[in-house]
Amino acid sequence: MDEHQTPTRLIESTDHFDDDRNACREYRELSRRAFMNRASAVAAGMLAPAWLPGIALGNGNKRGGAMPDVLVSCFWRGGPDMLSQIVPYSDSFLYSAPYVTGRGETYANGLRPTIGLDVPDPKDPDPGALRCLELGSLNGDDFGINKAYHDREYQGASDRNTLYELFLANEVAFIPAAGSPDTNRSHFSAEAYIEYGTPNQVHDEVSGWLGRYMATAPSLGSPLRAAAFSSNRLVPKMLAFAEKTMAFQALSEVVLPGDSATAAERSKILSSRYNAQTEDPLKSSVLNVFEIIDLLGQVKVSPHPDARYTNSSFGQRLMNAAALIQGGVPVEVVYCDRTGWDNHSGIGTQLGGGMYNRLKDISQNLAAFRIDLQDHWHRVTLVTQGEFGRQINENANAGTDHGNGGVMMVMGGNVNGGVYCKRTLGGVDGWPGLDPALTIDHDAVRTTIDYRAIYSEILRKRMGVDQSVIDASIFPMDGEQPPPVLDELGIVNVS
C-alpha cells in the first residue's frame, strides 16, 4: 500500500460530489424501494439468519481446473449522459444553431450552448477543458472524448493513470448509441428490463440475466461464484437468484460478527451445530457462508504500487474487486456500480464540474484496476452501461433529461479497442446521427446497438457459452417486438 491509498475508510463525499442533489424524484425513490424489497424478503423468511452476510446459494459442479474468465459488469445508475462523454463532433447537427426539431421546437443557440464540448484542437491549451480529446474516426464519423478521461490530477498530484491511455493502447472499446432497445424512460422500469434481460417483453421479475447465465454454466466448485460490490450492499436484479452470490463493499466486511478473538471458536461451534441438522433448509447456505468467510479471510487487499485508486467509495470497491480476482478465488462474475448520473440540472461537463469530476474518478480507478490485475488482465472483460442515455438538448437548468441511446464501454485483456457504432438498426457501420428525423421523439439518440449483442459476444467468446443457450435461456427473445438485431461487433477475441 502506498501513500496514495486509504482503503480502510470509504469516503462517500468524494464519491458522490453531491451527485443526487439534482436527480429526479423517481431516481431518489429507487433506494427506498431497494430497502423495502429487502425488508419484504426478510419478512417472507427468504434470507439467511441476520448474523450472516446476505447470500443466495446453490450447488455447483466443477468445470475443469483452470481459473475462469471473469465478467465484470459495472452499472452506472441514474442514466449517464452520452454527449458529455463521447462527442460526435463531425455531426453537423451537434453545433448547428438554431436546431429545429421535427415537431417545431427551436433551440436558438444550438443543442448544448453551455454544457457542450467543442471539437478537438491540439494547439489550444484549453485550461477549462471546453474541448474534447480526439478518439478517432469510423467510416467518416469523428469522435472525441471528455478531457476528464485523461486528467491525471488527484489531490494536488498529477501522477495518475487514465482510461484514455488504455484506449490508446487498444484495450478499451467505446460503443456510442448503445443500450436497451426499449424506449422506456423510467429509471425503475428501464433498469428492471435491462437487468432481467427482457427489453420490449413482459418480464416475470424472477431471475436476472446473469443469474440465468450462472445457472447454465457449471462452476469450478468455489463457494463464491459472483460478488456484488454494490453501493447499497444488495444483490442487484441482474444477479437475482444467482447461486453462490454475495453482496458487500469490502472483503473485510465478510466476517462473523462479534469479537474477532472468539470468531474462530464460534464459527466452529455454529458449523458443527448446522452440520448436525438433517432437515434445516438453511443448512447448506450457512455452511457455505462459513466457507466464504474462511476463503475471503485469506485474500489480502494489497494493490500493485502503480495502481493508484482514489479514496472514493467506487475506487475502494474496485480495489477490493481486483484483490478478489487475483487472490485465488475462482469467482466468475463481479458486479460494481456507480450512482449519481441523474443530472437534471448543473451537469458540469467541464473542468471542476460534477460530471467532469465523476468521469475523472471513473477514469483513474478503471486505469488502476487494469494495472492492479497485471497477469490476470487476460481473463477479465469489464463492461459499463446505464439504464438509458439523456436527451440531446440541454434543458433550462444546464442539465439533461431522460433519453434513450447511451454509451457503453468494454475493456479487458482480450478487447479490440476502438469506437464501434451503427448508422441504423441492421444498417451499415456509423453514427446514427443527431438529425431530428433520426432521433427518438425528436430529443434522444436512437439506440442502434443492443446491449445484449455486446454481452452475448462476450459470453460466447470469453465465457464459453453456446449461442443456443444464450438465445434460449440467458437472453430469450421469442415474440419480442420489434425483433432485435444482435449483430456481432468483434469487440473481443476468443483467446
Side-chain angles (χ1 to χ4, degrees), residues 264-475:
E265 184 63 25
R266 287 184 289 116
S267 176
K268 181 178 179 181
I269 294 172
L270 288 168
S271 296
S272 64
R273 288 180 178 177
Y274 273 94
N275 257 320
Q277 300 296 319
T278 58
E279 299 181 357
D280 192 326
L282 292 176
K283 176 180 177 179
S284 62
S285 298
V286 172
L287 294 178
N288 212 123
V289 169
F290 286 127
E291 287 187 62
I292 293 174
I293 292 174
D294 290 342
L295 181 61
L296 298 190
Q298 302 172 40
V299 177
K300 305 302 180 185
V301 182
S302 181
H304 188 278
D306 294 329
R308 295 176 176 175
Y309 296 94
T310 75
N311 58 5
S312 70
S313 62
F314 172 71
Q316 298 300 289
R317 291 198 303 271
L318 211 56
M319 181 173 68
N320 276 264
L324 180 69
I325 292 171
Q326 61 186 330
V329 179
V331 65
E332 301 159 62
V333 173
V334 172
Y335 166 88
C336 190
D337 61 13
R338 178 66 163 80
T339 60
W341 299 93
D342 194 29
N343 303 121
H344 286 273
S345 62
I347 190 169
T349 57
Q350 294 147 14
L351 184 67
M355 172 65 78
Y356 185 96
N357 287 339
R358 193 177 309 114
L359 296 179
K360 183 170 77 167
D361 186 66
I362 286 170
S363 168
Q364 294 180 0
N365 285 306
L366 289 177
F369 182 71
R370 186 268 177 268
I371 293 170
D372 202 0
L373 286 175
Q374 295 286 308
D375 293 341
H376 296 269
W377 187 237
H378 71 281
R379 63 186 186 92
V380 172
T381 306
L382 183 149
V383 183
T384 73
Q385 75 175 121
E387 64 265 38
F388 45 59
R390 315 294 290 193
Q391 291 184 6
I392 60 179
N393 57 284
E394 175 181 340
N395 63 25
N397 297 311
T400 53
D401 299 324
H402 301 178
N404 184 243
V407 59
M408 293 181 65
M409 182 183 69
V410 182
M411 58 185 290
N414 283 281
V415 168
N416 298 312
V419 180
Y420 294 76
C421 55
K422 287 181 176 293
R423 193 167 302 283
T424 59
L425 285 171
V428 297
D429 289 347
W431 165 244
L434 299 174
D435 183 332
L438 300 178
T439 60
I440 291 183
D441 295 333
H442 311 284
D443 61 14
V445 172
R446 183 177 298 277
T447 295
T448 53
I449 296 182
D450 195 313
Y451 78 102
R452 294 170 297 179
I454 297 169
Y455 274 115
S456 292
E457 180 180 342
I458 294 169
L459 290 174
R460 189 177 68 257
K461 291 183 175 179
R462 300 306 314 160
M463 313 302 283
V465 183
D466 189 87
Q467 186 64 51
S468 63
V469 175
I470 296 173
D471 295 340
S473 302
I474 301 173
F475 291 127

